[in-house]
Amino acid sequence: MVQLLKFSFVILLALGCGSSSHPLPQGALSGLVPQPQSVTTGGEDVGGRGFRCDGSLTVSWPEGWGMKAVRDWLDGSGLDVLQTAQGDAPGRIAWIRSNRPLGLEGYVLRIESDRVVIEAEDEEGAFRGWTTLRQILPPRCEQGCPRGFELPAVQIEDHAYLAHRGLLLDCCRHFMQPAFVKRIIDAIALQKMNVLHWHLTEDQGWRLPIQAYPKLTEVGGFRTEADGTEHGGFYTREEVRDIVEYAAERHIQVIPEIELPGHCRAALAAYPWLGCSGEEMDVPNNWGVFKDVYCAGSDTTMRFLKAVMDEVCDLFPSEVIHIGGDEVPKVRWASCESCQRRMAEEGIANEAELQTWFVNEIGNHLASKGRRIMGWDEILEGGLPKGAMVQSWRGMEGAIEATHQGTDAVVSPTSHCYLDYPLRSTDLKEVHGFIPVPDAAKGHRGSIVGGECNMWTERAPQDEVMGKVFPRATGLAEVLWSGPQITQLEGAYDGFLDRLDALSRRWAEMGLQPGLEGVPVRVEVLPSTLGKVRVVVHPNLRNVGGMVSFEPSTNEAAQPLGKVGDTLVVAGRGTLVVDVVIRGRRTAVAERFPLAGHAGAHQTLDLAFEPSSAYTGGGMQALADGRLGSSDFRDGAWQAVQGEDLTCTLDLGESLPIERLSTHLYLYQDAWIFMPSKVEWSVSIDGQTFEPLATQAPWGDALLPNPNQTVIPVNLSAKGVRVRHVRMRLVNPGPCPEWHAAATEPTWLFADELVVEVAH
Ligand code: ACM
Ligand code: ZN
């Protein structure tokens, strides 16, 4: 286990910059991310003047250390660099081999007036020390160093908290160009991450070249999208080797993920005999969990997978090979003669154990080649395959269980580590607050050896990936490198944000555009006079502002309303648009909030059901709070109930001449969200006796299979009706129908608002 070095923190703001003609801005140490274990700028050894560079530099490192990534960076820095024999001498940046233990990937970086020394036990520690030095150099050096600059005097002692610090990059749902994968590698290396978990085979695309089975990429590498366009691509063997080498130069291990027994529809499209049915199928263009998986009863399929793994071992030096193992429906196995025969022959009791048998077959084959498998936490279900590492994603339980069973685990729970999730479910603060090694996982035979953040790309083509990965991956990098003794300190997150501000200047020079830290603004919708609501747009992050406008749903021109922080008044329906400004700079982000100022807004509402705690829409007033739902059913404005009617009654406070009643429904059958069988409207003058007004079921064929995520408007003209009470009942259509993957399970109903418009 890692021994923590002494933990002292003395970052002084005022640095002695001597007589340098181009002193660094104060706080050249302010962009260190992850936070080193110890930074000392005062004291006898390291006070005083720093190291001056006037455009030329002498560097040295021990014989045998390649330092390729450092050499490449220096070559592009515009500095005159002379490499000299090893050793520490005046005027030099010297990497020195240490003969004392410095901890996991540890190093000591000393910047003195006449030299810079990075001491490390090996080249890996030396490289981590280099990334720290790089973060102290002027950000402009990323494009070309200024002719003269000075580095602050400092001593940094540092090492990693956990050994496995990774990013999963899914290059299957969307293909990523090799040059882009390298940019990701560069960016995570700067954050001292050391694993690229490269997801290369999936239902929607097979990206890894396998010489024995060329159709895997020729057929499985491409899919036809719903709009008829083609998406796809694959890597050549040369590109794979190049990426692996590029990563290795940055001391990043590439762990390939070859999914089995499920998530393999692209392989089945290439070679249908791999599956239980042998039926021809397409490479799918939709997302989800598919029933067709590799046939566990077929010896030919097992031979295929072993041959694939042989080529994987040829391409990837990583000891660990990820075999997936997640989300494997067992229905095909249950009705497959070969699979059932296998179970009988091997004395396997059920399909969960058949998965363990399957994974063991591949695990044993890989073990014979000196490799070790890692799999998602589902691999625990039929009994832990021998020697397997577990990656826990459905919470932390899988990791804890793995440590109890004596094996190592990597954590990437959906609660903190899923970068495909929107900021509203996982923001930077949550990631940075993550505790990767809970007490329940301590003191057992196995250990949690690290964590990963997972960039699944169903909804993220290459162009959107950088902004989703950063800055959140940087938060996890700090959690895994610096450790809880730093990230769990009081005020740690604010300090992290300060350092991130400084790091952002370097990212800008590197051309890396991070996304936001979290949801930038939130709206509060308050009562106003009849037919209107008051709205306050609150900043949700530091340094957020922006102009607010309103786009009426009538297609009239957008009206400027005010700015973030103002109290604004909205009448009628439309969308509030906030053009987000951060640190005084405009961003490309426009946050949109559909609203309705209407006569029912903030009147007394009675619900005849209990809203789902997962979809409250904001509380008991959600169906009359002025906020409408967007095309995202998780936006916080939709309210939902499962398995029963959604009925609500609104008391307008006085009898009013109604013009129109309306609501929106959400349709997303893959997520079990259906249309009601009908919408019943009724009205009352006294709140006791309700008269039926109308019954609607205007969505016709929408109950047929239709996976689209759609907002369905429901409108009822009610001219001439004068009442005080309005009731809306959405009648539950009953369980998911026969054709549905979840047939017989209770359906959901979603609604956003009971909108009451009155005559003026
Ligand atoms: C996973 O997210 N299915 C591992
Ligand atoms: Zn089968």
Side-chain angles (χ1 to χ4, degrees):
M1 208 39 228
V2 188
Q3 241 212 311
L4 293 177
L5 290 179
K6 89 171 154 23
F7 173 52
S8 73
F9 255 85
V10 202
I11 297 186
L12 299 183
L13 277 177
L15 300 165
C17 288
S19 58
S20 168
S21 50
H22 296 277
L24 278 175
Q26 284 202 340
L29 296 169
S30 63
L32 299 183
V33 192
Q35 171 105 29
Q37 305 295 344
S38 157
V39 178
T40 312
T41 57
E44 285 168 23
D45 303 339
V46 292
R49 285 195 51 190
F51 181 81
R52 167 106 185 243
C53 174
D54 284 318
S56 60
L57 205 55
T58 307
V59 296
S60 68
W61 44 73
E63 218 164 313
W65 289 10
M67 307 292 277
K68 169 81 164 52
V70 177
R71 278 188 281 129
D72 286 352
W73 191 93
L74 289 171
D75 282 349
S77 70
L79 296 171
D80 253 338
V81 181
L82 175 71
Q83 194 192 326
T84 186
Q86 63 175 308
D88 161 18
R92 222 181 253 189
I93 298 183
W95 278 263
I96 306 273
R97 194 196 304 270
S98 173
N99 46 24
R100 61 187 172 118
L102 296 176
L104 201 58
E105 297 170 57
Y107 66 92
V108 177
L109 165 63
R110 276 198 325 276
I111 301 178
E112 299 173 3
S113 59
D114 70 340
R115 71 193 70 198
V116 175
V117 180
I118 297 175
E119 207 188 316
E121 289 176 74
D122 54 24
E123 204 180 330
E124 190 176 23
F127 182 78
R128 304 295 172 227
W130 155 246
T131 61
T132 300
L133 177 59
R134 180 173 159 192
Q135 291 183 354
I136 297 172
L137 291 166
R140 274 175 57 199
C141 284
E142 302 295 341
Q143 295 262 12
C145 278
R147 288 314 292 172
F149 58 88
E150 189 172 304
L151 305 178
V154 69
Q155 171 152 323
I156 294 175
E157 297 178 25
D158 199 12
H159 64 266
Y161 166 57
L162 294 176
H164 181 120
R165 306 177 302 280
L167 170 74
L168 175 148
L169 186 64
D170 169 9
C171 291
C172 299
R173 269 54 174 267
H174 282 97
F175 181 66
M176 314 273 150
Q177 295 297 332
F180 179 79
V181 177
K182 287 184 169 181
R183 288 195 63 210
I184 289 272
I185 289 170
D186 266 330
I188 64 173
L190 184 63
Q191 253 61 100
K192 296 186 170 60
M193 294 181 108
N194 65 354
V195 171
L196 176 69
H197 172 165
W198 199 8
H199 190 75
L200 286 166
T201 74
E202 248 308 335
D203 293 311
Q204 296 85 3
W206 182 290
R207 311 288 173 221
L208 182 68
I210 299 295
Q211 289 168 317
Y213 297 101
K215 285 208 269 180
L216 285 172
T217 43
E218 285 165 12
V219 174
F222 299 88
R223 64 174 183 258
T224 306
E225 303 287 32
D227 65 3
T229 59
E230 186 165 89
H231 179 86
F234 56 86
Y235 304 100
T236 65
R237 285 171 66 83
E238 293 66 38
E239 285 166 342
V240 170
R241 287 194 201 283
D242 183 45
I243 283 169
V244 168
E245 188 178 312
Y246 191 82
E249 287 161 10
R250 285 149 187 83
H251 298 274
I252 289 176
Q253 181 81 256
V254 179
I255 298 183
E257 182 177 353
I258 313 302
E259 276 266 19
L260 55 87
H263 284 290
C264 61
R265 278 277 306 268
L268 304 193
Y271 300 104
W273 46 264
L274 291 167
C276 289
S277 72
E279 277 168 27
E280 303 245 335
M281 50 189 84
D282 290 340
V283 178
N285 61 14
N286 57 329
W287 319 121
V289 174
F290 295 92
K291 291 174 184 156
D292 287 289
V293 303
Y294 292 121
C295 177
S298 157
D299 292 336
T300 323
T301 298
M302 300 312 291
R303 271 198 300 277
F304 161 89
L305 283 167
K306 289 173 189 173
V308 166
M309 288 304 181
D310 290 345
E311 293 197 30
V312 168
C313 290
D314 185 36
L315 287 169
F316 296 93
S318 163
E319 187 204 313
V320 175
I321 306 291
H322 205 297
I323 54 81
D326 59 320
E327 300 178 322
V328 186
K330 309 293 192 300
V331 293
R332 294 291 185 253
W333 291 356
S335 60
C336 169
E337 259 177 45
S338 311
C339 286
Q340 293 303 311
R341 184 173 348 105
R342 174 86 73 202
M343 286 168 62
E345 282 168 11
E346 301 283 340
I348 294 168
N350 54 42
E351 282 77 17
E353 286 182 22
L354 183 58
Q355 169 154 348
T356 300
W357 175 88
F358 194 117
V359 173
N360 265 327
E361 277 289 298
I362 303 304
N364 289 339
H365 182 74
L366 284 166
S368 75
K369 304 171 87 65
R371 309 300 176 101
R372 178 177 191 197
I373 57 168
M374 174 147 84
W376 299 105
D377 55 53
E378 284 94 331
I379 66 168
L380 286 159
E381 281 168 7
L384 177 68
K386 278 194 299 286
M389 285 175 74
V390 173
Q391 181 163 11
S392 196
W393 71 282
R394 299 174 301 176
M396 297 290 277
E397 292 72 20
I400 292 166
E401 177 59 28
T403 63
H404 287 231
Q405 293 196 27
T407 196
D408 292 336
V410 167
V411 291
S412 57
T414 51
S415 56
H416 292 81
C417 299
Y418 269 51
L419 305 183
D420 55 323
Y421 286 17
L423 290 168
R424 109 175 87 70
S425 35
T426 306
D427 65 13
L428 179 60
K429 188 171 185 180
E430 280 174 290
V431 176
H432 190 262
F434 179 48
I435 298 177
V437 186
D439 288 342
K442 291 178 184 161
H444 301 281
R445 283 185 299 127
S447 310
I448 291 178
V449 295
E452 293 182 5
C453 35
N454 295 349
M455 184 64 241
W456 301 108
T457 59
E458 285 94 330
R459 289 165 190 85
Q462 179 180 302
D463 285 354
E464 291 174 28
V465 165
M466 240 356 144
K468 285 182 186 284
V469 169
F470 294 100
R472 287 180 292 179
T474 303
L476 194 74
E478 177 149 302
V479 163
L480 300 173
W481 175 277
S482 306
Q485 78 285 0
I486 287 177
T487 59
Q488 294 295 313
L489 280 181
E490 179 82 30
Y493 184 64
D494 281 336
F496 172 70
L497 287 182
D498 289 340
R499 286 178 287 114
L500 199 58
D501 268 350
L503 177 67
S504 298
R505 291 195 281 281
R506 182 171 310 277
W507 280 348
E509 298 286 346
M510 293 165 66
L512 189 160
Q513 189 143 41
L516 300 181
E517 295 142 26
V519 174
V521 293
R522 66 188 168 81
V523 296
E524 186 181 14
V525 185
L526 301 161
S528 179
T529 52
L530 188 71
K532 296 181 180 159
V533 286
R534 279 181 303 137
V535 183
V536 188
V537 181
H538 296 282
N540 221 20
L541 302 173
R542 307 206 293 197
N543 306 314
V544 165
M547 300 308 292
V548 183
S549 56
F550 188 67
E551 289 174 358
S553 58
T554 50
N555 287 335
E556 290 162 49
Q559 308 148 8
L561 275 189
K563 57 184 190 313
V564 170
D566 294 348
T567 298
L568 313 163
V569 175
V570 168
R573 278 171 205 253
T575 303
L576 198 77
V577 182
V578 185
D579 288 305
V580 176
V581 168
I582 298 203
R583 292 178 204 93
R585 283 197 300 269
R586 285 197 63 168
T587 67
V589 179
E591 294 283 292
R592 300 174 65 83
F593 301 92
L595 298 177
H598 65 95
H602 291 281
Q603 300 301 328
T604 305
L605 182 72
D606 180 62
L607 303 184
F609 64 99
E610 179 149 3
S612 152
S613 59
Y615 303 100
T616 65
M620 299 307 277
Q621 192 64 32
L623 293 175
D625 66 354
R627 276 203 68 187
L628 303 183
S630 70
S631 58
D632 174 2
F633 71 98
R634 294 195 176 96
D635 66 5
W638 290 97
Q639 188 167 73
V641 66
Q642 187 181 17
E644 55 179 302
D645 296 350
L646 186 155
T647 305
C648 62
T649 309
L650 195 53
D651 177 352
L652 300 170
E654 58 181 318
S655 275
L656 293 171
I658 312 288
E659 279 267 321
R660 193 164 80 129
L661 301 174
S662 60
T663 190
H664 296 104
L665 308 174
Y666 202 90
L667 176 64
Y668 186 13
Q669 293 174 347
D670 280 358
W672 311 11
I673 305 172
F674 281 72
M675 290 293 95
S677 57
K678 55 190 171 178
V679 180
E680 293 175 353
W681 299 98
S682 54
V683 291
S684 169
I685 293 179
D686 60 6
Q688 303 293 321
T689 314
F690 279 78
E691 297 286 336
L693 189 60
T695 297
Q696 297 175 300
W699 32 88
D701 287 346
L703 279 176
L704 296 174
N706 175 1
N708 290 334
Q709 301 178 42
T710 319
V711 176
I712 309 272
V714 177
N715 289 298
L716 179 69
S717 169
K719 274 193 174 49
V721 175
R722 189 178 182 97
V723 290
R724 174 170 164 176
H725 303 269
V726 175
R727 178 170 293 165
M728 175 177 80
R729 177 172 175 228
L730 311 184
V731 179
N732 192 285
C736 294
E738 204 55 39
W739 52 260
H740 195 273
T744 74
E745 295 289 342
T747 51
W748 288 87
L749 293 176
F750 274 63
D752 63 346
E753 186 85 354
L754 168 44
V755 178
V756 180
E757 286 157 276
V758 298
H760 295 293

